[in-house]
Amino acid sequence: MTADSTGPAPGATAPAVTQAVILAGGQGSRLRPYTDDRPKPLVEIPGTGRPIIGHQLEWLAAEGVTDVVISCGHLAEVLQEWLEQADLPLRTRTVVEAEPLGRGGGLKYAAAALPRPGEPWYATNGDIWTRFSLREMAAFHHERAAVATLALARPRIPWGAVETDRFGNVLDFIEAPPSPFLINAGLYVFAPGFHELLPEVGDHERTTFPQLARDRRLAGYQLPQGCYWRAIDTAKDLTEAAKELAATRK
């Protein structure tokens, strides 16, 4: 696998990114019973009055995106009905995976429906709740002539940490400290042609990304300090997100 022709030309003006893919086909089993009658992206954060995907589409539109392809699977018809009835700030199109293709296969399948295949594109998992400047991430991606750029988050550890000295004396207790490790935040910028490197079925993080990393064509953009980011995987995440968002409004 090579990617010599898929990255942006160094020194060229950074193109505006106006199209995106949202991966919304997961079962959302850890969010049951919320996902018994709706796909995960339609789960509402308590107190916000809108589902996760409503937030995502509003945010993408604010960042200059005009067209979004949504890859559906579990309860696809429920999501399609919501999209038809919602007053959306951009154009959406859905594609349905007849059989699960995995994250990489799902990306490839959805990318084939993007309206402008010769232009770069964003992608996000359908359970991500965040807000930061996608335009700055796209500029970072372009400056590095990357084929793919992934956002990197430093989530808080859900347990209290204990600080000790080298003699084993306890010095302090730290409640939910930031992780010392960066993780894939589930948000991406991709160069035109990236979809050609994706597997038909399977996970791009096990195939495409490792190869691009070896070729030095994969970049990592650290989310700005203080920006809100959370993956909504469990009912506890819903509760914590509601608390955190309420705190930011005080």
Side-chain angles (χ1 to χ4, degrees), residues 11-117:
T13 302
V17 182
T18 60
Q19 55 187 356
V21 165
I22 296 178
L23 292 177
Q27 292 286 330
S29 56
R30 290 192 292 172
L31 265 174
R32 287 176 177 159
Y34 298 99
T35 52
D36 285 344
D37 61 354
R38 71 197 65 190
K40 186 193 294 189
L42 280 184
V43 173
E44 181 180 312
I45 305 296
T48 66
R50 58 181 171 174
I52 299 169
I53 197 167
H55 167 86
Q56 291 180 323
L57 293 172
E58 180 183 281
W59 174 49
L60 289 168
E63 290 294 322
V65 174
T66 60
D67 295 272
V68 174
V69 176
I70 302 169
S71 179
C72 307
H74 175 62
L75 296 174
E77 67 282 358
V78 178
L79 180 53
Q80 290 170 327
E81 182 179 355
W82 182 88
L83 291 168
E84 290 173 1
Q85 297 177 355
D87 182 16
L88 301 176
L90 39 63
R91 293 181 292 271
T92 63
R93 176 181 177 182
T94 59
V95 295
V96 181
E97 297 179 24
E99 297 180 359
L101 301 175
R103 289 183 297 176
L107 268 179
K108 185 166 191 166
Y109 183 58
L114 288 169
R116 295 174 289 280

Side-chain angles (χ1 to χ4, degrees), residues 192-245:
F194 169 77
H195 67 282
E196 297 173 2
L197 307 179
L198 289 165
E200 297 290 340
V201 178
D203 190 344
H204 59 289
E205 293 188 19
R206 296 177 180 272
T207 54
T208 309
F209 277 1
Q211 182 61 54
L212 289 176
R214 287 189 288 270
D215 294 341
R216 298 295 187 267
R217 306 301 301 278
L218 180 67
Y221 176 79
Q222 293 191 37
L223 296 185
Q225 186 173 2
C227 98
Y228 185 78
W229 176 90
R230 180 177 280 275
I232 308 297
D233 290 322
T234 66
K236 182 179 179 181
D237 289 326
L238 281 176
T239 302
E240 293 298 320
K243 290 179 181 177
E244 292 162 354
L245 290 169

Side-chain angles (χ1 to χ4, degrees), residues 136-148:
E136 291 184 6
M137 182 176 170
F140 175 93
H141 164 84
H142 181 81
E143 289 167 1
R144 281 147 187 80
V147 172

Side-chain angles (χ1 to χ4, degrees), residues 139-220:
F140 175 93
H141 164 84
H142 181 81
E143 289 167 1
R144 281 147 187 80
V147 172
T149 296
L150 57 153
L152 303 175
R154 198 181 297 276
R156 290 193 172 276
I157 297 173
W159 307 281
V162 179
E163 182 181 359
T164 67
D165 63 18
R166 62 192 181 94
F167 301 107
N169 299 307
V170 174
L171 302 177
D172 200 2
F173 296 89
I174 307 170
E175 185 64 27
S179 169
F181 301 104
L182 293 165
I183 67 166
N184 182 349
L187 295 144
Y188 313 94
V189 186
F190 296 132
F194 169 77
H195 67 282
E196 297 173 2
L197 307 179
L198 289 165
E200 297 290 340
V201 178
D203 190 344
H204 59 289
E205 293 188 19
R206 296 177 180 272
T207 54
T208 309
F209 277 1
Q211 182 61 54
L212 289 176
R214 287 189 288 270
D215 294 341
R216 298 295 187 267
R217 306 301 301 278
L218 180 67

